[in-house]
Amino acid sequence: MVLGYNKNRIWKSLYSFHCFVVLVNAMVPGANEKTWTYEIKSLESESADADLLSLNLSVERVSRGVYAISGTFTLDFDVDETVDCDIEASAARSDNGVNEYKVLPFRMPRQHLISTLNGFYKDMLMDTLSECSDMPVFEDKFDPPLAKGVYTLNKCQFSQDGFPNHLAEGFYKVLISGHGRVEWSLTVVAQVESNN
Protein backbone atom coordinates (compact mmCIF):
# COMPACT_ATOMS: atom_id res chain seq x y z
CA MET A 1 0.00 0.00 0.00
CA VAL A 2 2.80 2.42 0.90
CA LEU A 3 4.73 1.53 -2.27
CA GLY A 4 1.65 2.27 -4.43
CA TYR A 5 1.20 5.61 -2.65
CA ASN A 6 4.84 6.58 -3.28
CA LYS A 7 4.59 5.67 -6.97
CA ASN A 8 1.46 7.79 -7.26
CA ARG A 9 3.24 10.76 -5.63
CA ILE A 10 6.23 10.37 -7.96
CA TRP A 11 4.01 10.36 -11.07
CA LYS A 12 2.09 13.41 -9.81
CA SER A 13 5.37 15.23 -9.14
CA LEU A 14 6.71 14.39 -12.60
CA TYR A 15 3.46 15.51 -14.21
CA SER A 16 3.55 18.80 -12.24
CA PHE A 17 7.17 19.38 -13.28
CA HIS A 18 6.29 18.68 -16.95
CA CYS A 19 3.41 21.21 -16.78
CA PHE A 20 5.76 23.76 -15.18
CA VAL A 21 8.34 23.33 -17.99
CA VAL A 22 5.63 23.71 -20.66
CA LEU A 23 4.34 26.90 -19.02
CA VAL A 24 7.81 28.41 -18.64
CA ASN A 25 8.61 27.64 -22.29
CA ALA A 26 5.39 29.35 -23.34
CA MET A 27 6.19 32.46 -21.25
CA VAL A 28 9.90 32.87 -22.12
CA PRO A 29 10.35 34.70 -25.44
CA GLY A 30 12.24 32.57 -27.94
CA ALA A 31 12.15 29.40 -25.80
CA ASN A 32 10.58 27.41 -28.63
CA GLU A 33 12.52 29.03 -31.46
CA LYS A 34 15.11 27.14 -33.47
CA THR A 35 18.69 28.21 -32.78
CA TRP A 36 19.89 26.77 -36.09
CA THR A 37 19.38 26.94 -39.82
CA TYR A 38 20.29 24.40 -42.48
CA GLU A 39 21.35 24.25 -46.10
CA ILE A 40 20.94 21.15 -48.27
CA LYS A 41 24.33 20.24 -49.71
CA SER A 42 23.67 17.07 -51.70
CA LEU A 43 21.13 14.42 -52.59
CA GLU A 44 21.82 10.95 -53.98
CA SER A 45 19.19 8.41 -54.95
CA GLU A 46 19.36 4.84 -56.17
CA SER A 47 16.84 2.21 -57.25
CA ALA A 48 17.57 -1.46 -57.85
CA ASP A 49 14.81 -1.59 -60.48
CA ALA A 50 14.03 1.67 -62.30
CA ASP A 51 11.12 -0.06 -64.09
CA LEU A 52 9.35 -0.36 -60.72
CA LEU A 53 10.61 2.81 -59.04
CA SER A 54 12.60 5.57 -60.70
CA LEU A 55 13.99 8.45 -58.62
CA ASN A 56 14.95 11.68 -60.42
CA LEU A 57 15.43 14.17 -57.61
CA SER A 58 18.07 16.87 -57.21
CA VAL A 59 19.06 19.88 -55.11
CA GLU A 60 18.09 23.18 -56.71
CA ARG A 61 19.28 26.65 -55.75
CA VAL A 62 16.26 28.88 -55.13
CA SER A 63 18.18 32.02 -54.14
CA ARG A 64 21.44 32.92 -52.46
CA GLY A 65 21.93 30.47 -49.58
CA VAL A 66 18.51 28.86 -50.13
CA TYR A 67 18.30 25.36 -51.59
CA ALA A 68 15.38 23.04 -52.22
CA ILE A 69 14.60 19.59 -53.61
CA SER A 70 12.94 19.26 -57.02
CA GLY A 71 12.25 16.45 -59.45
CA THR A 72 10.07 13.41 -59.85
CA PHE A 73 9.75 9.83 -58.78
CA THR A 74 7.81 7.30 -60.76
CA LEU A 75 6.07 4.41 -59.00
CA ASP A 76 4.97 1.63 -61.36
CA PHE A 77 2.79 -0.35 -58.93
CA ASP A 78 0.01 0.38 -56.43
CA VAL A 79 0.96 0.03 -52.76
CA ASP A 80 -1.46 -1.17 -50.11
CA GLU A 81 -1.00 -3.25 -46.95
CA THR A 82 -0.69 -6.48 -48.96
CA VAL A 83 2.36 -5.31 -50.95
CA ASP A 84 5.80 -5.95 -49.45
CA CYS A 85 7.02 -2.35 -49.18
CA ASP A 86 8.96 -1.25 -46.07
CA ILE A 87 10.82 1.98 -45.30
CA GLU A 88 13.39 2.92 -42.65
CA ALA A 89 15.43 6.04 -41.95
CA SER A 90 18.54 6.91 -39.97
CA ALA A 91 20.72 9.96 -39.37
CA ALA A 92 24.42 10.59 -38.79
CA ARG A 93 26.57 13.65 -38.09
CA SER A 94 30.08 14.81 -38.97
CA ASP A 95 31.81 17.94 -37.67
CA ASN A 96 33.05 18.97 -41.11
CA GLY A 97 31.54 16.57 -43.65
CA VAL A 98 34.95 15.00 -44.26
CA ASN A 99 35.54 13.08 -41.06
CA GLU A 100 33.59 9.91 -40.36
CA TYR A 101 29.86 10.34 -39.77
CA LYS A 102 28.69 9.17 -36.34
CA VAL A 103 25.25 7.55 -36.09
CA LEU A 104 22.67 9.60 -34.17
CA PRO A 105 19.77 8.27 -32.08
CA PHE A 106 17.26 9.92 -34.47
CA ARG A 107 15.84 7.09 -36.55
CA MET A 108 12.65 5.67 -37.95
CA PRO A 109 12.51 1.89 -37.49
CA ARG A 110 11.66 -0.28 -40.49
CA GLN A 111 7.91 -0.30 -41.11
CA HIS A 112 5.41 -0.68 -43.91
CA LEU A 113 4.94 2.30 -46.27
CA ILE A 114 1.29 2.73 -45.20
CA SER A 115 2.38 2.99 -41.52
CA THR A 116 5.07 5.48 -42.57
CA LEU A 117 2.49 7.63 -44.37
CA ASN A 118 0.24 7.62 -41.28
CA GLY A 119 3.11 8.42 -38.91
CA PHE A 120 6.43 9.97 -39.93
CA TYR A 121 5.18 11.39 -43.26
CA LYS A 122 2.03 12.93 -41.75
CA ASP A 123 3.86 14.36 -38.71
CA MET A 124 7.08 15.58 -40.34
CA LEU A 125 6.67 16.00 -44.10
CA MET A 126 3.06 16.33 -45.23
CA ASP A 127 2.61 20.04 -44.44
CA THR A 128 5.73 20.96 -46.41
CA LEU A 129 5.00 18.62 -49.32
CA SER A 130 1.38 19.81 -49.57
CA GLU A 131 2.74 23.19 -50.68
CA CYS A 132 5.24 22.00 -53.29
CA SER A 133 4.25 18.56 -54.56
CA ASP A 134 1.39 16.30 -55.54
CA MET A 135 2.08 13.85 -52.72
CA PRO A 136 -0.96 12.63 -50.73
CA VAL A 137 -2.62 15.02 -48.27
CA PHE A 138 -5.15 13.60 -45.80
CA GLU A 139 -6.87 14.42 -42.50
CA ASP A 140 -6.93 11.37 -40.22
CA LYS A 141 -5.48 8.30 -41.92
CA PHE A 142 -4.19 7.63 -45.40
CA ASP A 143 -6.65 5.58 -47.46
CA PRO A 144 -4.61 3.04 -49.50
CA PRO A 145 -3.45 2.41 -52.08
CA LEU A 146 -0.63 4.79 -52.89
CA ALA A 147 -1.42 4.80 -56.61
CA LYS A 148 1.19 4.14 -59.25
CA GLY A 149 2.14 7.23 -61.21
CA VAL A 150 4.58 10.12 -61.44
CA TYR A 151 4.94 12.28 -58.31
CA THR A 152 6.50 15.74 -58.66
CA LEU A 153 8.37 17.91 -56.15
CA ASN A 154 8.83 21.57 -57.07
CA LYS A 155 11.36 23.51 -54.95
CA CYS A 156 10.48 21.80 -51.68
CA GLN A 157 12.08 23.50 -48.67
CA PHE A 158 11.59 21.39 -45.60
CA SER A 159 10.28 22.92 -42.40
CA GLN A 160 12.20 22.66 -39.13
CA ASP A 161 8.96 21.90 -37.27
CA GLY A 162 9.16 18.63 -35.37
CA PHE A 163 12.95 18.87 -35.05
CA PRO A 164 14.80 19.83 -31.83
CA ASN A 165 15.15 23.53 -31.05
CA HIS A 166 18.90 23.09 -30.65
CA LEU A 167 21.21 21.14 -32.98
CA ALA A 168 25.00 21.09 -32.94
CA GLU A 169 26.65 22.66 -35.96
CA GLY A 170 28.01 20.26 -38.54
CA PHE A 171 26.97 18.09 -41.45
CA TYR A 172 23.96 15.81 -41.09
CA LYS A 173 23.34 12.83 -43.36
CA VAL A 174 19.84 11.36 -43.55
CA LEU A 175 19.48 7.95 -45.18
CA ILE A 176 16.01 6.75 -46.19
CA SER A 177 15.85 3.25 -47.65
CA GLY A 178 13.09 1.08 -49.06
CA HIS A 179 12.86 -2.71 -49.04
CA GLY A 180 10.57 -5.38 -50.42
CA ARG A 181 9.10 -5.14 -53.90
CA VAL A 182 11.97 -2.84 -54.87
CA GLU A 183 15.15 -1.86 -53.03
CA TRP A 184 15.93 1.86 -53.11
CA SER A 185 17.72 4.58 -51.14
CA LEU A 186 17.77 8.34 -50.78
CA THR A 187 20.65 10.11 -49.02
CA VAL A 188 20.47 13.81 -48.16
CA VAL A 189 23.35 15.79 -46.65
CA ALA A 190 22.64 19.14 -45.00
CA GLN A 191 24.87 21.60 -43.20
CA VAL A 192 23.54 22.96 -39.91
CA GLU A 193 24.73 26.35 -38.68
CA SER A 194 23.91 28.37 -35.57
CA ASN A 195 21.65 31.43 -35.89
CA ASN A 196 24.00 33.37 -33.58
Side-chain angles (χ1 to χ4, degrees):
M1 200 65 175
V2 173
L3 182 61
Y5 172 74
N6 287 338
K7 275 185 175 178
N8 210 10
R9 278 185 67 188
I10 290 169
W11 283 116
K12 282 183 180 178
S13 297
L14 286 173
Y15 178 74
S16 298
F17 179 72
H18 172 74
C19 290
F20 172 75
V21 169
V22 169
L23 285 172
V24 168
N25 274 341
M27 292 168 35
V28 175
N32 287 321
E33 292 178 8
K34 302 292 187 262
T35 61
W36 54 276
T37 59
Y38 76 95
E39 183 178 297
I40 300 171
K41 293 296 187 182
S42 67
L43 181 152
E44 294 177 12
S45 59
E46 188 177 325
S47 173
D49 188 344
D51 290 336
L52 291 177
L53 176 65
S54 133
L55 299 160
N56 299 299
L57 300 169
S58 62
V59 177
E60 178 181 354
R61 183 176 184 218
V62 176
S63 62
R64 183 175 176 169
V66 178
Y67 294 84
I69 295 177
S70 293
T72 62
F73 70 91
T74 305
L75 183 64
D76 200 36
F77 58 97
D78 293 337
V79 181
D80 62 19
E81 294 92 338
T82 65
V83 176
D84 186 15
C85 193
D86 289 348
I87 295 181
E88 62 184 326
S90 60
R93 180 187 168 276
S94 169
D95 286 334
N96 56 17
V98 177
N99 292 346
E100 181 180 347
Y101 279 83
K102 294 180 181 175
V103 176
L104 297 171
F106 310 121
R107 64 182 311 268
M108 182 186 76
R110 185 169 170 166
Q111 58 190 271
H112 195 274
L113 173 63
I114 302 304
S115 297
T116 303
L117 288 171
N118 285 316
F120 179 80
Y121 170 81
K122 182 180 179 186
D123 297 339
M124 303 286 284
L125 301 175
M126 189 170 75
D127 283 348
T128 294
L129 291 174
S130 68
E131 303 286 325
C132 62
S133 79
D134 52 7
M135 290 290 292
V137 176
F138 50 93
E139 287 292 325
D140 297 319
K141 284 196 165 186
F142 176 71
D143 186 22
L146 179 63
K148 66 179 180 180
V150 178
Y151 293 88
T152 303
L153 281 69
N154 183 24
K155 298 179 183 174
C156 292
Q157 299 175 53
F158 294 91
S159 167
Q160 294 168 281
D161 294 345
F163 289 94
N165 289 334
H166 310 288
L167 278 180
E169 290 190 322
F171 288 77
Y172 288 76
K173 181 185 290 187
V174 176
L175 171 64
I176 303 171
S177 55
H179 312 279
R181 182 85 185 266
V182 59
E183 301 288 317
W184 60 272
S185 67
L186 184 67
T187 304
V188 179
V189 174
Q191 182 177 9
V192 168
E193 294 181 325
S194 171
N195 283 337
N196 302 330

